[in-house]
């Protein structure tokens, strides 16, 4: 799959559910309305779709959500997709999770062929954690992380940088990740979906954070890339990688290798654009994959060059109306 700008599409992110056991303030409104079950693809359909993408050249697959590990019987899908890792068709199967279910699933994930996971954690302070996630408990996530470590999973922590909330904690997070052997990536808030509250209050430019971190840490730029929005440095004092995802201050589209599939079978060619392709209809239309494959090729043929996020006082509405929990970040 090669798009009109010559970029090879080898990375698929799949949001397996829009539901979640947390209600993070930057991600969801407290009283979210979720999709009716009838609109959501079955696990069998998700498996068939992912397998078609793998046959078309996807080498890396990330499950996300909502919270992927709260979807019923999700381990069945992960096991089936893991078979593609074992056969060598897929280089990597991974997931982004809030960590709440890891105590239960870490060992099974490893058995299915998952080697690395991203866990979202914005603070090490229990009260702040409860404030940010509304429904989450820090200890549950910490237990999950311990289980992941014991099972041998490599962990990268994702933390959203929130002005006036966790901006005083990044030194502690870096030190803690260093001790635990976890990577860390800081993320700027993105204007996706209506939330309760004001986004301009939350937005903290990572250029500023980076400047502050340099006072305490030695940050060395490194070439490492996943083809995505993160730019990485090595923290000399801990030896760990630190990533910065800066959609608002840095254009990362020229190397974009990914597309995103929602749990309804909608394919978004760009996180920051509304254009999407319906893959559920061709999927359900025929037992043969031909209509589906044609629809995928058509969609890749319309992948846009880039996105255009803006947060400022005049544009205090989401640039894109769907929530991150639908496309999965
Ligand atoms: N529930 C899982 C989790 O939290 O890791 C997976 C889905 S979540 C939508 C994926 C990532 O998106 C998380 O790291 C979360 O912090 C991030 N995220 C959610 N809303 C965001 C926003 N408006 N701006 C930036 N990142 C956001
Ligand atoms: Fe759930 Fe992840 Fe969104 Fe938080 S960021 S509400 S954990 S989907």
């Amino acid at each position: 799959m090669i798009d009109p700008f010559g970029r090879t599409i080898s990375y698929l992110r799949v949001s397996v559910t829009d539901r979640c056991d947390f209600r993070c303030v930057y991600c969801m409104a407290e009283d979210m309305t979720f999709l009716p079950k009838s609109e959501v693809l079955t696990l069998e359909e998700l498996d068939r779709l992912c397998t078609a993408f793998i046959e078309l050249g996807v080498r890396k697959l990330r499950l996300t959500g909502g919270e992927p590990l709260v979807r019923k019987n999700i381990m069945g899908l992960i096991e089936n997709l893991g078979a593609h890792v074992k056969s060598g068709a897929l280089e990597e199967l991974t997931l982004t999770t809030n960590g709440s279910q890891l105590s239960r699933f870490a060992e099974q994930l490893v058995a299915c062929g998952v080697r690395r996971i991203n866990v979202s954690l914005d603070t090490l302070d229990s009260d702040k954690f409860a404030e940010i996630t509304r429904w989450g408990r820090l200890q549950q996530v910490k237990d999950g992380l311990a289980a992941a470590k014991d099972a041998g999973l490599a962990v990268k922590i994702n933390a959203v940088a929130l002005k006036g909330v966790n901006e005083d904690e990044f030194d502690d997070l870096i030190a803690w990740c260093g001790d635990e052997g976890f990577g860390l990536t800081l993320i700027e808030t993105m204007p996706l979906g209506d939330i309760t509250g004001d986004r301009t209050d939350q937005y903290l430019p990572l250029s500023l954070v980076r400047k502050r971190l340099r006072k305490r840490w030695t940050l060395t730029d490194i070439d490492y890339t996943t083809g995505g929005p993160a730019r990485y440095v090595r923290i000399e004092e801990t030896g760990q990688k630190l990533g910065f995802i800066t959609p608002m201050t840095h254009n990362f589209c020229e190397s974009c290798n990914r597309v995103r599939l929602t749990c309804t079978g909608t394919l978004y060619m760009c996180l920051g654009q509304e254009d999407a392709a319906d893959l559920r209809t061709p999927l359900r239309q025929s037992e043969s994959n031909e209509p589906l494959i044609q629809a995928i090729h058509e969609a890749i043929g319309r992948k846009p060059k880039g996105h255009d996020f803006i947060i400022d006082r005049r544009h205090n509405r989401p640039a894109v109306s769907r929530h991150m929990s639908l496309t999965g970040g």
Side-chain angles (χ1 to χ4, degrees):
M1 291 181 286
I2 298 179
D3 81 355
F5 303 95
R7 296 170 296 192
T8 300
I9 308 307
S10 56
Y11 182 5
L12 177 67
R13 296 171 79 109
V14 185
S15 176
V16 296
T17 176
D18 64 328
R19 292 167 195 253
C20 187
D21 51 341
F22 292 2
R23 290 289 180 278
C24 302
V25 290
Y26 45 74
C27 180
M28 291 192 182
E30 189 154 23
D31 56 342
M32 286 288 285
T33 314
F34 293 107
L35 292 163
K37 283 223 170 83
S38 58
E39 289 206 17
V40 175
L41 297 183
T42 64
L43 292 172
E44 291 72 25
E45 287 173 325
L46 279 169
D47 189 2
R48 193 176 143 207
L49 251 178
C50 291
T51 303
F53 270 99
I54 294 166
E55 285 166 1
L56 288 172
V58 159
R59 304 286 290 148
K60 183 169 168 185
L61 206 150
R62 176 177 296 278
L63 303 183
T64 171
E67 174 47 41
L69 295 180
V70 299
R71 175 135 188 199
K72 209 170 153 204
N73 298 328
I74 189 66
M75 287 315 297
L77 175 67
I78 297 180
E79 197 178 340
N80 289 350
L81 295 174
H84 299 294
V85 177
K86 289 173 185 165
S87 77
L90 198 58
E91 260 165 42
E92 181 166 52
L93 174 63
T94 180
L95 68 158
T96 301
T97 170
N98 65 23
S100 69
Q101 309 300 314
L102 280 174
S103 298
R104 259 206 294 166
F105 291 131
E107 280 185 14
Q108 284 181 65
L109 287 172
V110 172
C112 293
V114 176
R115 301 277 164 263
R116 298 191 308 140
I117 54 170
N118 288 0
V119 180
S120 304
L121 178 63
D122 306 325
T123 176
L124 294 169
D125 176 304
S126 327
D127 293 338
K128 249 189 236 176
F129 185 85
E131 249 169 62
I132 295 172
T133 62
R134 293 199 186 103
W135 294 4
R137 276 193 313 111
L138 179 62
Q139 194 54 47
Q140 191 179 350
V141 174
K142 281 192 159 173
D143 293 346
L145 283 166
K149 219 167 123 172
D150 285 349
L153 284 166
V155 173
K156 184 164 72 77
I157 301 291
N158 283 344
V160 176
L162 297 164
K163 192 158 108 189
V165 179
N166 62 358
E167 63 179 307
D168 55 342
E169 270 199 76
F170 300 136
D171 285 336
D172 292 346
L173 265 172
I174 288 174
W176 177 77
C177 285
D179 291 344
E180 296 285 336
F182 300 156
L184 174 64
T185 293
L186 300 176
I187 308 175
E188 277 175 359
T189 51
M190 292 176 232
L192 296 178
D194 270 320
I195 52 163
T196 326
D198 182 348
R199 294 213 185 256
T200 48
D201 287 346
Q202 299 178 341
Y203 177 58
L204 174 65
L206 288 183
S207 48
L208 184 69
V209 173
R210 200 173 159 133
K211 228 178 262 164
R212 288 186 201 155
L213 291 180
R214 282 197 186 281
K215 290 186 186 150
R216 157 116 183 243
W217 308 95
T218 316
L219 309 181
T220 310
D221 287 323
I222 51 175
D223 275 344
Y224 180 80
T225 169
T226 58
R231 296 288 170 268
Y232 291 89
V233 298
R234 186 176 48 248
I235 303 170
E236 298 301 342
E237 288 82 355
T238 67
Q240 288 292 337
K241 280 201 276 285
L242 173 65
F244 297 92
I245 299 189
T246 56
M248 317 299 295
T249 52
H250 187 282
N251 192 311
F252 53 83
C253 305
E254 66 279 0
S255 62
C256 183
N257 60 356
R258 60 199 58 194
V259 287
R260 298 174 157 83
L261 185 69
T262 70
C263 56
T264 60
T266 307
L267 187 74
Y268 285 95
M269 286 69 84
C270 174
L271 181 61
Q273 301 271 4
E274 299 279 7
D275 186 33
D278 165 33
L279 300 183
R280 188 176 58 189
T281 306
L283 180 80
R284 290 186 174 167
Q285 180 183 326
S286 159
E287 277 182 20
S288 141
N289 273 357
E290 239 163 71
L292 174 65
I293 287 171
Q294 200 186 334
I296 294 174
H297 280 308
E298 269 169 26
I300 301 296
R302 331 198 278 272
K303 184 167 159 70
K305 193 168 180 194
H307 65 66
D308 185 25
F309 286 131
I310 307 171
I311 294 187
D312 67 25
R313 297 271 165 206
R314 279 175 305 127
H315 296 83
N316 189 25
R317 61 189 149 74
V320 172
S321 59
R322 63 183 188 276
H323 284 94
M324 185 72 107
S325 47
L326 186 64
T327 13

